[in-house]
């Protein structure tokens, strides 16, 4: 077996009655959806639950998977120390997942345990599940500061581990949505908060998982989201399959968004290999590129010095690539684009993807893309890539400039 189902769940401790003491009724739709999801999990009788929590041990460059045989936690920090949740870990699944990650070169494993007790991002879902299911084993995984594509890839490896072991597996993506929906909320109000919640519920409610990888880091940060990486790993566990998605509830009365969505995998569909598609888009953009660094305006005293300095930077200092070595020189095509003076424009309608390059600006963030690039066929693609390079979300207003170039190239 592979993945039986997956569910996106928030984790407000308030919905635990011993903590809420009646206040939980203000998010009754969330509780109803939670109980329905727990009942569905119970009916499936999974052997393993893989739970992805933002409040598990987290590292910038590494996915932490809880080690050991079992763990316990309580809600003492929320005034209900007597309410405990215990979990028995699926050590065989953890071992298989760590091995797959090692072969893949993905930084994930059981080292670095800092907080062995269960976190509330784990306990709140399991509190409800335990009323419907017993005898399952848990795989508890934290998030990381790695790119979203790495989170999606981890989800694919979870799917593979489940298939290899023949496990009946349910995946829980634990995470709240924006924490910035109201001025009196935990982090105040930002317009990106409601924008994020609307986008994520649309994406998850339609199982349009490829779009998860297109949320910019800056937009997610401004929205104060909690679960985006959990949801991205969850999406990866359903890679390559048709998915029936059901939006069970959405609420945000306390300034925090709570969304519940249920996912049932169906037949294979190669058109839904979103991780592979994302990598292909990246490779198309960067294919065979060995370095690309330049300046928008003059820095040196002459154009010759400008070209020399940029050539050194592109060949030796581009952080995306290893430095160029002498043996490569005869195989390289060296291209120098001399940019014309940027011209302010009022809309993308004034662009021509073959003739003009584009500069997008939002505050101190600035992204540039040259014209007439292979694989960039529309103005929409051109602007989207420039936004991505600058970390500017698609929903953010930007200033636009266009420029022409004189291109010179020579084969090594």
């Amino acid at each position: 077996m592979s993945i039986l189902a997956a569910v996106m769940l928030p984790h407000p401790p308030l919905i635990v009655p011993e903590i809420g003491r009646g206040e939980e009724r203000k998010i009754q739709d969330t509780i109803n959806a939670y109980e329905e999801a727990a009942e569905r999990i119970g009916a499936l009788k999974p052997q393993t639950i893989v739970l992805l929590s933002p409040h598990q041990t987290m590292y910038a460059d590494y996915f932490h998977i809880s080690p050991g045989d079992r763990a316990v936690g309580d809600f003492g920090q929320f005034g209900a120390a007597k309410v405990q949740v215990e979990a028995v870990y699926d050590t065989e699944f953890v071992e298989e997942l760590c091995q797959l990650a090692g072969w893949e070169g993905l930084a994930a494993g059981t080292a670095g345990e800092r907080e062995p007790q269960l976190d509330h991002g784990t306990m709140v879902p399991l509190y409800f599940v335990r009323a419907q299911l017993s005898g399952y084993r848990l795989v508890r995984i934290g998030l990381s500061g790695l790119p979203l594509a790495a989170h999606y890839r981890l989800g694919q490896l979870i799917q593979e581990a489940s298939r290899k072991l023949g496990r009946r597996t349910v995946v829980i993506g634990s995470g709240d949505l924006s924490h910035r929906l109201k001025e009196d909320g935990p982090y105040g109000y930002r317009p990106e908060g409601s924008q994020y919640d609307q986008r994520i519920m649309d994406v998850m409610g339609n199982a349009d998982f490829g779009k998860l990888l297109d949320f910019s880091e800056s937009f997610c940060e401004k929205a104060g989201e909690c679960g985006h990486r959990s949801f991205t790993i969850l999406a990866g566990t359903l890679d390559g399959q048709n998915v029936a998605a059901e939006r069970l509830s959405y609420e945000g009365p306390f300034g925090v968004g709570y969304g519940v969505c249920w996912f049932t995998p169906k037949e294979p569909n190669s058109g839904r290999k979103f991780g592979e598609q994302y990598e292909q888009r990246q490779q198309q953009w960067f294919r065979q590129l060995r370095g690309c660094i330049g300046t928008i305006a003059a820095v040196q005293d002459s154009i010759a010095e400008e070209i020399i300095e940029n050539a050194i930077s592109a060949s030796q200092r581009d952080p995306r690539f290893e430095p160029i070595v002498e043996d490569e020189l005869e195989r390289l095509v060296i291209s120098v684009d001399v940019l014309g003076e940027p011209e302010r424009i009022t809309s993308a309608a004034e662009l021509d993807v073959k003739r003009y390059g584009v500069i997008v600006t939002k505050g101190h963030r600035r992204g540039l893309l040259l014209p007439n690039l292979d694989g960039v066929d529309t103005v929409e693609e051109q602007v989207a890539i420039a936004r991505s390079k600058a970390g500017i979300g698609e929903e953010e207003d930007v200033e636009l400039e266009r420029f022409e170039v004189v291109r010179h190239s020579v084969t090594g």
Side-chain angles (χ1 to χ4, degrees), residues 35 99 135 185 256 296 304:
E35 291 174 343
Q99 187 175 63
V256 180
I296 295 176

Side-chain angles (χ1 to χ4, degrees), residues 190-200 211 214-223 362 365 383-384 387-388 391-398:
R190 288 196 67 129
E192 292 85 358
S194 58
Q195 292 168 12
Y196 175 85
D197 282 14
Q198 183 176 353
R199 282 180 65 187
I200 198 68
K211 292 182 179 178
D214 296 330
F215 282 65
S216 71
E217 293 285 351
S218 62
F219 175 63
C220 288
E221 182 180 353
K222 289 177 182 178
K362 178 69 173 181
R365 291 173 288 161
V383 173
R387 281 176 174 272
S388 177
I392 300 172
E394 63 182 30
E395 73 294 331
E396 298 184 73
D397 293 331
V398 294

Side-chain angles (χ1 to χ4, degrees), residues 272-322:
R272 288 182 58 84
K273 293 186 175 181
F274 298 117
E276 185 178 296
Q277 293 167 14
Y278 179 81
E279 290 300 324
Q280 287 172 352
R281 292 198 302 271
Q282 294 295 102
Q283 289 171 14
Q284 186 177 32
W285 168 235
F286 289 115
R287 74 175 177 273
Q288 299 181 355
L289 188 64
R290 288 295 286 111
C292 182
I293 288 180
T295 47
I296 295 176
V299 175
Q300 306 300 324
D301 293 333
S302 70
I303 191 169
E305 292 174 290
E306 197 83 32
I307 291 170
I308 291 170
E309 182 61 28
N310 284 335
I312 293 170
S313 295
S315 63
Q316 300 297 306
R317 301 169 189 157
D318 191 327
R320 299 167 296 181
F321 307 98
E322 292 295 320

Side-chain angles (χ1 to χ4, degrees), residues 71-274:
V72 67
D74 64 58
F75 288 103
Q77 69 180 111
F78 304 103
K82 292 182 179 180
V83 182
Q84 294 188 337
V85 177
E86 185 173 0
V88 177
Y89 288 140
D90 189 335
T91 55
E92 186 180 14
F93 197 114
V94 169
E95 182 178 355
E96 179 68 31
L97 181 58
C98 290
Q99 187 175 63
L100 289 172
W103 290 341
E104 183 75 12
L106 186 66
T110 56
E113 177 80 299
R114 293 199 303 250
E115 299 169 351
Q117 67 274 17
L118 298 179
D119 62 282
H120 77 273
T122 299
M123 290 190 293
V124 172
L126 295 187
Y127 175 91
F128 286 85
V129 167
R130 71 182 185 182
Q132 305 292 334
L133 180 70
S134 61
Y136 70 90
R137 293 181 181 269
L138 182 71
V139 177
R140 177 177 168 239
I141 303 175
L143 313 180
S144 80
L146 292 169
L148 290 174
H151 289 73
Y152 192 92
R153 183 59 185 143
L154 179 61
Q156 292 175 287
L157 297 182
I158 292 168
Q159 181 192 78
E160 186 175 349
S162 180
R163 179 184 56 78
K164 280 191 169 186
L165 295 172
R167 287 289 197 275
R168 295 174 56 83
T169 304
V170 166
V171 177
I172 296 176
S174 177
D176 299 334
L177 308 188
S178 172
H179 286 62
R180 292 174 173 161
L181 300 180
K182 291 186 174 183
E183 288 290 354
D184 58 353
Y187 295 98
Y189 172 79
R190 288 196 67 129
E192 292 85 358
S194 58
Q195 292 168 12
Y196 175 85
D197 282 14
Q198 183 176 353
R199 282 180 65 187
I200 198 68
M201 290 304 295
D202 181 62
V203 167
M204 300 302 280
N206 292 291
D208 197 0
F209 296 143
K211 292 182 179 178
L212 285 168
L213 301 171
D214 296 330
F215 282 65
S216 71
E217 293 285 351
S218 62
F219 175 63
C220 288
E221 182 180 353
K222 289 177 182 178
E225 57 79 24
C226 168
H228 197 88
R229 285 171 166 79
S230 289
F231 310 150
T232 305
I233 299 173
L234 179 154
T237 70
L238 302 172
D239 186 68
Q241 296 173 278
N242 285 326
V243 175
E246 299 174 75
R247 173 175 163 158
L248 301 183
S249 72
Y250 171 78
E251 294 182 289
F254 306 120
V256 180
Y258 305 130
V260 179
C261 292
W262 180 271
F263 308 99
T264 305
K266 301 294 186 179
E267 65 280 353
N269 181 348
S270 60
R272 288 182 58 84
K273 293 186 175 181
F274 298 117

Side-chain angles (χ1 to χ4, degrees), residues 301-361:
D301 293 333
S302 70
I303 191 169
E305 292 174 290
E306 197 83 32
I307 291 170
I308 291 170
E309 182 61 28
N310 284 335
I312 293 170
S313 295
S315 63
Q316 300 297 306
R317 301 169 189 157
D318 191 327
R320 299 167 296 181
F321 307 98
E322 292 295 320
I324 290 171
V325 297
E326 185 176 353
D327 290 346
E328 294 181 86
L329 293 178
E330 63 182 18
R331 302 191 301 275
L332 292 178
V333 174
I334 301 170
S335 176
V336 176
D337 290 332
V338 181
L339 277 60
E341 190 70 25
E343 173 189 5
R344 182 78 176 272
I345 59 176
T346 58
S347 78
E350 299 177 64
L351 291 170
D352 180 328
V353 72
K354 298 298 182 184
R355 178 181 177 185
Y356 296 113
V358 65
I359 301 171
V360 299
T361 304

